[in-house]
Amino acid sequence: MLSTVLIRRAVSDDEILGHVAPELGYDLYWRRTAQARRALELYRTQGVGTPLGQKQALEELARIEFECDAFSAVTLASLGRHPLFFGHYLEATERSSEAAIYDFSR
């Protein structure tokens, strides 16, 4: 999600582009994300599935996150932009936030 806070914190256009690129990746992988989240929801709320299925769904969500970051890096490189700026932005954001651990199941 692109917000005014993100725009204010960004020190370059590359950081903003780096944030937008993984969002495009999320759009590409929305079906896989929805399936994994649904499996987790069913397991947690109705006891449907197995602990192994829950673990696999969490791993799938982590894999999607990684693939979106990779998509971002490749997209930025294809635009002639260096993805390192986005990496610096992520590091700065993580340091400034007490909640640096993401809940992939939301």
Side-chain angles (χ1 to χ4, degrees), residues 3 15 82 95:
S3 68
E15 284 184 3
H82 200 293
R95 280 192 302 270

Side-chain angles (χ1 to χ4, degrees), residues 4 36 40 78 80:
T4 54
L40 283 175
S78 71

